Amino acid sequence: MRPSTPPRHQPVRAAVVSGYALATTAGLFLLKGNSSTVLLAAAWTVGAALFAVLLRELGARRTSALAMLFTVVCQIGVIRDADTARDLLTLRQRGTEITATVVSERRDPEQGRSTRYYHYVLHRLDGTRVLGPDPTSTDDLYDVGHTVTVIEDTEGELAPLTPDQADATSNMLAALAWGLAMIGLIAWTAWRHSDAARHGRFADLLEPAPDASRTSAAPVDPPDAPHRPQDTVG
């Protein structure tokens, strides 16, 4: 039977696993959009496998697969919201506000339970088409002939959005929440499978176990026995 992880080592291992999880998430975020699908799939697979091994080192031997799947879900959430926030911040940084008119509106045909999107075509007041992909929405936001103020991407890569729609605050908070959930899982796993958790002692995770060779008490000589006077023979 393999010995359990010493309590004083669990925080260090949890910090290492947390650093690996954050580094992997950052790497996958940078690869997204700049790499092929095959490379992304390989990176996700290798990263998840190594993470499962690290979770087993924390003590999660039976639940390492489940914990790994939850971590992958958290990573997907971080990358999705961070990517959206990056696009919104880019649009605000290099875009310009213009007044446009809705000249066309269409909705996706109904296909089972798939989400149907509204697609809009926007033109400037001078009749030229607004740069970028056509804006889409799950809600019917505009009618044909409606005038709206949007931020237009000067490079034509991002779809035009209204100033309210281009606010990245909610996406940044969502990415932060996903990241905290991932770190929280690692911390809980480290605590759950520590000796301190088995004995109900939280302080053992923070303080190393005392060295028995240094803390052993020196032998103490027994106190001198009280002097009893000898009986005299009369």
Side-chain angles (χ1 to χ4, degrees), residues 16-127:
V16 171
V17 177
S18 299
Y20 170 80
L22 293 176
T24 303
T25 305
L28 292 172
F29 172 72
L30 295 176
L31 285 176
K32 185 178 182 297
N34 299 321
S35 303
S36 63
T37 304
V38 176
L39 179 60
L40 276 176
W44 276 102
T45 303
V46 173
L50 290 178
F51 193 79
V53 173
L54 292 175
L55 287 174
R56 288 178 62 86
E57 288 298 319
L58 285 179
R61 308 197 180 282
R62 296 182 179 179
T63 60
S64 60
L66 183 61
M68 180 268 294
L69 290 176
F70 180 80
T71 304
V72 170
V73 171
C74 290
Q75 287 181 323
I76 293 174
V78 170
I79 294 172
R80 180 197 60 191
D81 288 301
D83 187 59
T84 302
R86 177 176 58 182
D87 289 343
L88 295 178
L89 293 174
T90 301
L91 180 63
R92 278 190 169 274
Q93 181 181 7
R94 72 186 184 195
T96 56
E97 285 194 12
I98 62 170
T99 301
T101 303
V102 181
V103 298
S104 175
E105 174 189 5
R106 68 178 179 84
R107 191 181 186 187
D108 293 335
E110 186 173 357
Q111 294 181 354
R113 297 183 178 180
S114 60
T115 304
R116 302 175 64 189
Y117 287 90
Y118 291 89
H119 302 262
Y120 302 95
V121 176
L122 305 180
H123 283 190
R124 299 187 188 88
L125 297 181
D126 59 4

Side-chain angles (χ1 to χ4, degrees), residues 2 8 24 56 74 76 84 104 107 157 163 167 189 195-196 207 211 216 225:
R2 184 175 178 176
R8 62 182 179 274
T24 303
R56 288 178 62 86
C74 290
I76 293 174
T84 302
S104 175
R107 191 181 186 187
E157 296 178 356
D167 186 5
T189 302
D195 289 343
E207 299 180 359
D211 190 351
S216 58

